[in-house]
Amino acid sequence: MLWLTLTSLNITPSLVGRALGSVRSASAVSGAIQSALGHHKALAEYVEHYAGLCNPDALHVCDGSEGEYTTFMETMVEDGSMFKLNEAKRPNSYLARSDPRDVARSEESTFISCVNEEDAGPTNNWRDPVEMKATMANLYKDCMVGRTMFVVPFSMGPIGGPISHIGVQLTDSMHVAASMRLMTRMGKAPLEALGTDGEFVKCMHSVGYPLADGKADVAWPCDPDNKYITHYPEENLAESYGSGYGGNSLLGKKAFALRLASAMGKREGWLAEHMLILGVTNPEGKKKYVAAAFPSACGKTNFAMLEPTMPGWKVECVGDDIAWMKFGPDGKLYAINPENGFFGVAPGTSMGTNPNAMRSLDRDCIYTNVAMTADGDVWWEGMTEETPEGMTNWLGEPHNPASNTPAAHPNSRFTVPIANCPVLDPNFEALEGVPIDAIMFGGRRPTTIPLVHEAFSWNHGVLMGASVASEKTAAATGDDIGEIRHDPFAMLPFCGYNMGDYFQHWIDMGKTEGAKLPSMYLVNWFRQDPETGKFIWPGFGENSRVLKWIFERTDGVTDNAAKTPIGYVPTPDALDTDGLAGITNDELTELLRVDPDAWQREINQSDEYLTSTFGPKLPAELKNEIESLKKSF
Ligand code: OXD
Ligand code: MN
């Protein structure tokens, strides 16, 4: 039956990148697909299944070459879905403007479809997989008429590494196929690495805008009223429909590398985390690696590539968003960044806040929803102090600087190869990953949480991660200042299974025989002066001072911390403040202060959240940690 549908498939030699000739008969189509996919039976079946359902006009197996990328970009410039930026100002760079109804991740349309509802847990939208598949099949039916289905083989992590995994995305968006080349190791190499029977994760995507009966295409096709980003962790399958926005459509990222991979990690004994990875080198040349989880709007990308303000110290970036971590034969926890590019928020990025991101963006970028200057360059709020004249805003309209509306969408993005990062860590491609000495958690907390403190133990650190929260600030909330939004491990929208089981998995990882466990830290760059509301800590490059303290702690220095009921806090003189302008001793004391009353409230709040949300799934080890913290005051 499938074959009948497939007879209409037009596989041309240029499309599949090899001399297939024009194929018409069902078996010839099937043969052509198999040959284009390296005779990988399961892969051919996967492609044929969705091609049969979606009924594309053509099939293109991506080879990942530069020539292919150039052809994609030229095609999109020609059809008006991409603008070429001024080559002299931003070489090899493009701008796309999305449908205004498709500008961000859609958490309400994001689902975990596993057999038992309990396995999705209280923090996920659950759907029965059989029902969900039926819903998706309905949407996918003929959804690619008039379009090409791109087969996008990609590796998350260096190809062949012990922590890496391969995925194959199917998509009807050329923009998505092109972006996958920037964000992953995409094309021929991962396809060849699969051989004839290698395992791969299935990532199916459609923008949901078929071109039946001569319907004209639009610059940003999508189906905003029918978005679904759904995950079947038991089948290593993600299905996405209706959105072209990167977080919903570049399925290697949040869908595979976090939601599906977190469940794979639970089954197989490793960790898939919403964490940046950086290397920090001291003036003597000794290097350590740190992984860090922060909820959104906490400056994660800035921290991942910060420029240290202390002479002789160096920070290098392995990744800004996701870490996959596994114990190595020497008992250390090794991490890779599974991605190969940055998909970052543009507004707020500047030479002041993140010079290394700015330098990464000089060329080779696909921008989405930023503003365009009169001379064909890009701009966003916060990039420069002055707003340039004569810009076109993210909607493609003339920007009125007097209006209150921003020129760039607040979630406008850049997509750029990680190779462009001037401080890319030399071990970024290391197959086995980099050894992690410290794990950091952070949130935006105007009160209570000191600048940095160290956990007493692994389980205490897991409680720190489970208790991650960001407080609403006065500016955002008016009269409910101090209200806490919990975001355990910054994984709330990204954990592919029951988060109670996820906490248990972290605890169990800590019991791994022979493991040399990283130390764990909670940091807070956002403590405010209780009187003035001003941020006490300058942040950005100055955060390297906190990294230095962590470096020394993991290097065996013990006399640089005071033991408090909540963990080890730097003694005031342990934090290197040489050359740190504009911070008084009193302010430093306030930054490091552990207020017993506030902390008792804090622990009660965490207890209340964790117990009421996860009930019996809250691991006994975490309950013990909470109880011992309560008793320590
Ligand atoms: C992201 C996110 O885009 O966390 O990285 O939403
Ligand atoms: Mn993220």
Side-chain angles (χ1 to χ4, degrees):
M1 288 222 322
L2 194 59
W3 306 127
L4 285 177
T5 323
L6 283 170
T7 45
S8 62
L9 205 62
N10 167 30
I11 304 182
T12 66
S14 67
L15 288 175
V16 291
R18 57 184 69 197
L20 292 173
S22 178
V23 281
R24 287 282 172 266
S25 79
S27 58
V29 168
S30 180
I33 290 178
Q34 290 203 20
S35 140
L37 298 176
H39 298 283
H40 190 301
K41 198 160 169 279
L43 177 54
E45 275 168 15
Y46 162 59
V47 173
E48 287 173 18
H49 169 72
Y50 282 107
L53 192 56
C54 304
N55 208 6
D57 281 11
L59 189 80
H60 178 104
V61 181
C62 290
D63 64 16
S65 64
E66 200 179 323
E68 177 186 70
Y69 182 77
T70 306
T71 306
F72 285 169
M73 301 319 287
E74 283 171 2
T75 306
M76 288 187 281
V77 170
E78 198 145 303
D79 71 20
S81 56
M82 206 57 90
F83 293 91
K84 174 95 180 68
L85 294 168
N86 184 331
E87 185 65 18
K89 299 205 161 256
R90 272 314 137 172
N92 193 28
S93 294
Y94 300 85
L95 165 64
R97 295 193 183 115
S98 84
D99 184 307
R101 298 164 298 175
D102 194 26
V103 293
R105 283 189 295 105
S106 318
E107 286 181 19
E108 64 298 342
S109 312
T110 300
F111 300 94
I112 299 297
S113 294
C114 47
V115 173
N116 297 315
E117 181 169 1
E118 199 194 26
D119 292 337
T123 59
N124 281 312
N125 294 322
W126 174 80
R127 287 286 188 282
D128 175 82
V130 175
E131 282 169 28
M132 184 51 104
K133 287 233 178 95
T135 303
M136 297 305 286
N138 244 337
L139 293 166
Y140 283 145
K141 180 97 190 75
D142 293 334
C143 73
M144 294 189 186
V145 168
R147 296 193 180 280
T148 295
M149 175 189 266
F150 298 89
V151 180
V152 186
F154 62 96
S155 179
M156 297 311 286
I159 295 172
I163 316 182
S164 305
H165 287 273
I166 288 177
V168 179
Q169 175 150 352
L170 309 180
T171 179
D172 52 5
S173 163
M174 192 180 275
H175 182 161
V176 166
S179 302
M180 286 294 284
R181 181 170 185 269
L182 305 186
M183 291 302 296
T184 69
R185 292 133 172 117
M186 184 277 258
K188 203 164 167 253
L191 183 61
E192 282 176 2
L194 273 184
T196 53
D197 60 358
E199 279 186 22
F200 65 98
V201 169
K202 298 172 182 162
C203 296
M204 166 62 198
H205 170 252
S206 169
V207 292
Y209 198 93
L211 300 172
D213 305 324
K215 184 173 171 179
D217 207 353
V218 290
W220 187 279
C222 60
D223 185 358
D225 299 327
N226 285 301
K227 287 185 197 171
Y228 284 85
I229 302 95
T230 188
H231 309 74
Y232 309 87
E234 287 143 347
E235 299 171 51
N236 284 353
L237 165 67
E239 291 185 322
S240 169
Y241 179 90
S243 171
Y245 170 74
N248 301 327
S249 67
L250 307 179
L251 297 181
K253 193 175 178 68
K254 302 299 188 183
F256 173 4
L258 288 177
R259 299 193 190 98
L260 294 178
S262 59
M264 290 162 75
K266 163 82 175 156
R267 291 195 296 267
E268 298 164 11
W270 51 282
L271 295 164
E273 298 301 324
H274 192 203
M275 289 182 178
L276 64 90
I277 309 165
L278 60 81
V280 51
T281 308
N282 73 5
E284 289 72 48
K286 188 162 185 182
K287 184 163 196 179
K288 290 176 181 287
Y289 286 96
V290 172
F294 296 90
S296 58
C298 290
K300 200 166 152 204
T301 302
N302 297 346
F303 188 55
M305 50 187 95
L306 66 75
E307 281 196 336
T309 48
M310 296 168 306
W313 285 79
K314 186 159 81 177
V315 164
E316 287 161 303
C317 176
V318 182
D320 77 327
D321 197 35
I322 300 176
W324 284 358
M325 302 190 283
K326 210 178 208 175
F327 285 110
D330 60 359
K332 289 189 170 172
L333 189 61
Y334 281 82
I336 60 163
N337 167 14
E339 302 193 272
N340 202 26
F342 300 127
F343 176 65
V345 179
T349 309
S350 71
M351 283 310 282
T353 61
N354 193 341
N356 288 318
M358 288 304 282
R359 292 175 193 124
S360 311
L361 303 181
D362 278 349
R363 52 180 304 128
D364 312 322
C365 230
I366 299 179
Y367 294 95
T368 313
N369 288 342
V370 301
M372 189 157 82
T373 61
D375 56 359
D377 198 0
V378 287
W379 191 84
W380 48 80
E381 275 66 24
M383 184 204 257
T384 54
E385 267 171 36
E386 296 213 341
T387 306
E389 298 284 320
M391 283 194 300
T392 308
N393 71 14
W394 69 278
L395 292 160
E397 296 156 353
H399 177 59
N400 174 4
S403 77
N404 279 332
T405 53
H409 186 277
N411 192 37
S412 51
R413 295 277 173 155
F414 51 79
T415 311
V416 69
I418 200 165
N420 276 24
C421 180
V423 291
L424 182 63
D425 192 82
N427 286 323
F428 168 70
E429 292 284 359
L431 288 184
E432 70 286 1
V434 296
I436 297 295
D437 288 292
I439 293 177
M440 296 165 65
F441 302 103
R444 186 178 273 271
R445 300 295 303 270
T447 67
T448 315
I449 314 288
L451 180 64
V452 55
H453 69 287
E454 181 186 276
F456 293 124
S457 64
W458 179 266
N459 285 358
H460 180 208
V462 175
L463 178 63
M464 276 179 174
S467 309
V468 164
S470 265
E471 261 168 60
K472 293 182 185 175
T473 61
T477 59
D479 47 6
D480 53 354
I481 303 169
E483 190 188 312
I484 287 178
R485 262 178 297 200
H486 288 270
D487 186 355
F489 286 77
M491 282 286 277
L492 200 62
F494 305 122
C495 184
Y497 61 103
N498 191 312
M499 218 166 203
D501 293 332
Y502 166 90
F503 299 151
Q504 188 65 57
H505 179 46
W506 265 86
I507 287 172
D508 294 344
M509 289 288 289
K511 296 179 188 157
T512 306
E513 197 148 326
K516 299 194 180 90
L517 298 174
S519 310
M520 301 220 232
Y521 300 85
L522 185 61
V523 296
N524 178 24
W525 318 135
F526 300 95
R527 195 138 165 186
Q528 291 175 3
D529 183 314
E531 316 242 293
T532 63
K534 155 185 164 272
F535 289 119
I536 307 174
W537 184 246
F540 303 109
E542 302 296 7
N543 294 339
S544 56
R545 297 175 191 275
V546 173
L547 272 180
K548 179 182 174 189
W549 183 77
I550 290 175
F551 185 109
E552 288 163 352
R553 291 292 293 166
T554 61
D555 213 31
V557 180
T558 51
D559 61 359
N560 58 353
K563 190 171 183 191
T564 77
I566 61 159
Y568 295 99
V569 176
T571 49
D573 55 352
L575 211 58
D576 185 341
T577 53
D578 268 7
L580 176 63
I583 185 158
T584 63
N585 280 345
D586 284 354
E587 285 174 325
L588 203 57
T589 308
E590 172 61 19
L591 268 177
L592 298 172
R593 190 164 68 93
V594 178
D595 174 343
D597 292 340
W599 264 96
Q600 267 158 11
R601 279 197 301 278
E602 174 76 16
I603 295 158
N604 288 339
Q605 235 167 9
S606 293
D607 185 12
E608 153 66 20
Y609 166 73
L610 292 170
T611 309
S612 66
T613 311
F614 301 103
K617 282 278 187 190
L618 187 66
E621 289 89 340
L622 286 193
K623 286 187 204 150
N624 291 343
E625 289 299 323
I626 294 171
E627 286 318 309
S628 75
L629 266 181
K630 281 185 178 171
K631 283 196 208 116
S632 66
F633 284 98

